[in-house]
Amino acid sequence: MTTLVPILGDQLSFGIASLRGADPGETVVLMMEVADETTYVRHHKAKIAFILSAMRHHAQALRAAGFRVDYVRLDDPENSGSFTGEVARAVARHDPARIVVTEAGEWRVQAMLESWETLFGTPVEIRADDRFLCSHAEFAAWADARKQLRMEFFYRDMRRKTGLLLTPDGKPEGGQWNFDKDNRKPATRDLLMPRPASFAPDEVSRAVIELVASRFADHPGSLDRFAFAVTREQARAAQARFLDEALPGFGDNQDAMLVGEPFLWHAHLSPYINNGLLDPIALAHEVEARYRAGKVPLNAAEGFIRQVIGWREYVRGIYWWTGPDYVTRNALGATRPLPGFYWTGETDMRCLAEAIGQTLDYAYAHHIQRLMVTGNFALLIGADPAEVHRWYLEVYADAYEWVELPNTLGMSQFADGGLLGSKPYASSGAYINRMSDYCGHCRYDVAQRTGPDACPFNSLYWDFVDRNRDHLDTNQRMAMPYRTWDKMAPADRAALTAQARDFLSKLE
Ligand code: FAD
Ligand code: DLZ
Ligand code: SF4
């Protein structure tokens, strides 16, 4: 009685639901490197290499634990190129009595899983992915009961559910649920700045890198700085390094940006959390333990825990609750193509050159770079949200649709009309100047709004506000910008509009 257990590339957790209770003697684990997954968008080369290398190492670890693993490589001449095609071939090879699989991380793949029972005439059990705190049903019950969704209230429920950072009588530690207002310090250079752990590619990674370099030469990004953890042990070492060195400064520096510093005090753990090498809930408990041991301040511990049990769970909830057509939303009617420099980093706007350049080098940018630099610029120019979504899904090593799409389309591009967040994350150059040293290294002057040296973000911001008045002027949180715009002298408004339109007309 063989059970076939397909394990997808983001299901590399030993405790994955589909393997729970499995008898290694009667189980065949199927892992599949397939062309459909590597090319449904043009993933960054390093992202593909990371995912495939981690899969190959996970297969070795499962074998060491006594499982029989049927592993299909990308260059296997018989490879059909799709999950469904590979499960079909595996059914023919192993004649399983049943298939057990953990639900997929996105609608596209979930539809495949749901087709298998009819296609193969074999019983298929699809198990819930319980690596998350909040089930789909629980999120739906929470969201259906509300007129307006706000992460902050969802987050408090997750704190209560886990008991994280609560006093013995159930109150938030420090008397507040959220210490975000303490987490907005601009970055200053520090010789002792933490560095995330990096790992020289081993033989398995080197083989994958070679495969990716030849097969995906036209995909964006570089393989030259590949230093990802690809085993559970390495990912745990990366986690330990973060907890010891960067976490204490995480809160204070969370929104900061510095030229030539891609990582700052951020964890750089999302690729490992999202593919299953690390357990996010255990990590949140570790962070709490560091706080209770007096090793990290409350604003750092709370800030980090909020990202993991708040934002991460909330965006997943939104993704599954809104349905497969969330991706088509375009509340602001934006249609402009993304400029070509998103794939090269070649622009004289220093903030964008930094954020995009490091993205192409490392398949990584931190949250504020994604939101307030590349996301903000795309929003201001009126870029097509579907295209912006594709770009983010391609270029980040941590990007899977369930987490990337709500962050991009909802939080960053306001294309869901304010379902996920209460106001557009649009800003002039002043925000970037306050939180970074980019402007001091830029050919533009952040203090100027018009003229050849004016920072483009300034006029683009006001043009965005003016252009989207029909969509935004009933939003309470936009009242101030509209008041300011209306109070401006007509000649100033006209000059800003002309400046922005001239800039936009010259974008590719
Ligand atoms: P840290 O800043 O150190 O944060 C700690 C952890 O919290 C992260 O590892 C991550 O697991 C979690 N986290 C933080 N913020 C979020 C969030 N908004 N949503 C979900 N998890 C969060 N994150 C992804 O994991 N995958 C994506 O594809 C992705 N796309 C994004 C697109 C846009 C436009 C924006 C604005 C944000 C996106 N994020 C995405 C969220 C966030 O930027 C990344 O999780 C974070 O930068 C990962 O780096 P880190 O591990 O150093 O995170
Ligand atoms: C992202 C990705 C890539 C690039 N390649 C593979 C692959 O070859 N095999 C695989 O199992 N998974 C891959 N993945 C991750 C899947 O796309 C991910 O598991 C699904 O999006 C989950 O819904
Ligand atoms: Fe970016 Fe403007 Fe600052 Fe240049 S001046 S780095 S374009 S915000």
Side-chain angles (χ1 to χ4, degrees):
M1 275 268 291
T2 300
T3 299
L4 184 69
V5 179
I7 297 280
L8 310 182
D10 57 354
Q11 298 182 343
L12 310 185
S13 316
F14 260 96
I16 194 83
S18 43
L19 278 178
R20 202 157 304 142
D23 174 351
E26 298 202 333
T27 303
V28 174
V29 173
L30 175 66
M31 296 184 70
M32 306 157 271
E33 298 177 0
V34 291
D36 277 6
E37 297 309 306
T38 52
T39 55
Y40 71 90
V41 292
R42 286 181 345 126
H43 300 286
H44 192 299
K45 295 187 197 76
K47 175 184 184 184
I48 303 179
F50 161 64
I51 289 173
L52 300 191
S53 179
M55 284 175 63
R56 291 184 184 191
H57 283 95
H58 188 63
Q60 287 177 356
L62 285 170
R63 286 191 185 112
F67 283 101
R68 206 168 131 203
V69 181
D70 184 350
Y71 193 98
V72 184
R73 288 181 179 235
L74 199 61
D75 49 8
D76 177 341
E78 308 290 313
N79 193 325
S80 64
S82 74
F83 283 146
T84 298
E86 284 317 292
V87 174
R89 292 203 310 127
V91 165
R93 280 196 297 275
H94 304 291
D95 189 24
R98 61 182 193 139
I99 297 171
V100 177
V101 64
T102 302
E103 65 182 327
E106 61 189 76
W107 289 103
R108 182 182 60 85
V109 180
Q110 183 66 9
M112 297 180 203
L113 270 48
E114 286 169 5
S115 73
W116 290 348
E117 185 155 306
T118 310
L119 266 179
F120 308 132
T122 307
V124 176
E125 184 188 343
I126 302 178
R127 295 188 180 165
D129 190 345
D130 54 13
R131 295 175 297 172
F132 294 88
L133 272 177
C134 184
S135 69
H136 302 323
E138 203 179 336
F139 189 87
W142 179 84
D144 289 341
R146 276 164 180 77
K147 272 209 192 98
Q148 203 184 40
L149 308 185
R150 286 297 162 255
M151 197 292 293
E152 181 61 27
F153 297 109
F154 172 82
Y155 164 57
R156 290 179 194 179
D157 285 354
M158 294 302 110
R159 288 271 293 279
R160 292 188 191 97
K161 184 172 181 175
T162 54
L164 280 163
L165 294 180
L166 295 187
T167 59
D169 59 350
K171 301 265 171 20
E173 278 297 335
Q176 281 167 230
W177 290 101
N178 182 319
F179 290 83
D180 210 19
K181 65 170 179 11
D182 299 339
N183 291 0
R184 304 213 172 111
K185 301 204 174 52
T188 42
R189 258 167 225 288
D190 179 343
L191 285 177
L192 302 174
M193 201 133 55
R195 295 273 178 266
S198 61
F199 304 88
D202 65 3
E203 206 178 316
V204 174
S205 291
R206 285 199 300 274
V208 169
I209 288 169
E210 209 172 293
L211 172 74
V212 171
S214 70
R215 191 154 165 164
F216 305 105
D218 61 336
H219 284 220
S222 159
L223 287 158
D224 296 346
R225 294 172 185 77
F226 186 96
F228 285 106
V230 289
T231 65
R232 195 169 320 281
E233 294 67 35
Q234 289 177 341
R236 288 208 178 119
Q239 174 174 309
R241 166 85 74 102
F242 165 68
L243 291 169
D244 289 344
E245 295 182 14
L247 178 62
F250 174 82
D252 287 354
N253 299 295
Q254 206 178 329
D255 290 3
M257 299 172 278
L258 284 177
V259 166
E261 293 292 345
F263 307 109
L264 297 164
W265 282 261
H266 290 270
H268 194 245
L269 294 178
S270 49
Y272 319 133
I273 294 174
N274 292 350
N275 79 345
L277 292 182
L278 293 179
D279 173 350
I281 316 304
L283 170 58
H285 283 281
E286 273 275 340
V287 169
E288 181 191 39
R290 301 282 169 134
Y291 161 69
R292 298 215 181 272
K295 291 185 177 154
V296 302
L298 183 55
N299 69 314
E302 188 282 319
F304 190 82
I305 287 173
R306 175 159 26 91
Q307 308 311 315
V308 174
I309 67 164
W311 279 111
R312 186 170 184 273
E313 296 278 340
Y314 180 69
V315 298
R316 177 184 187 250
I318 297 268
Y319 177 77
W320 289 105
W321 181 69
T322 49
D325 63 353
Y326 186 68
V327 68
T328 62
R329 296 199 193 182
N330 188 355
L332 301 180
T335 53
R336 187 178 296 280
L338 263 189
F341 63 72
Y342 271 69
W343 286 269
T344 63
E346 285 163 20
T347 164
D348 52 8
M349 289 175 277
R350 188 59 187 247
C351 51
L352 284 158
E354 285 288 315
I356 296 168
Q358 71 169 68
T359 295
L360 297 171
D361 284 347
Y362 298 101
Y364 177 83
H366 70 67
H367 187 69
I368 292 300
Q369 294 174 307
R370 297 187 204 196
L371 187 64
M372 300 311 295
V373 179
T374 44
N376 183 20
F377 186 78
L379 176 69
L380 297 184
I381 65 169
D384 176 354
E387 198 176 315
V388 182
H389 149 57
R390 239 182 348 264
W391 183 79
Y392 279 94
L393 188 56
E394 281 178 8
V395 297
Y396 291 111
D398 57 21
Y400 301 87
E401 196 179 75
W402 68 265
V403 55
E404 176 278 325
L405 180 67
N407 269 303
T408 302
L409 190 128
M411 188 189 309
S412 165
Q413 300 301 296
F414 207 70
D416 65 6
L419 176 78
L420 184 141
S422 55
K423 84 183 249 276
Y425 281 96
S427 94
S428 67
Y431 175 86
I432 294 173
N433 191 34
R434 193 162 58 247
M435 298 315 303
S436 77
D437 66 354
Y438 292 159
C439 303
H441 295 80
C442 185
R443 94 132 191 87
Y444 294 106
D445 180 353
V446 72
Q448 292 188 39
R449 299 202 297 193
T450 54
D453 296 328
C455 165
F457 281 79
N458 294 338
S459 57
L460 288 174
Y461 172 74
W462 289 113
D463 187 52
F464 169 83
V465 168
D466 184 37
R467 202 172 67 230
N468 289 294
R469 185 156 212 151
D470 288 352
H471 300 291
L472 299 176
D473 80 347
T474 54
N475 183 320
Q476 285 300 313
R477 299 191 64 196
M478 292 297 289
M480 176 83 123
Y482 281 109
R483 261 200 310 276
T484 309
W485 176 248
D486 290 341
K487 272 198 231 146
M488 265 184 222
D492 291 346
R493 284 205 300 257
L496 279 167
T497 304
Q499 175 92 11
R501 298 293 157 92
D502 179 57
F503 179 87
L504 289 171
S505 72
K506 289 178 185 145
L507 272 182
E508 301 139 89

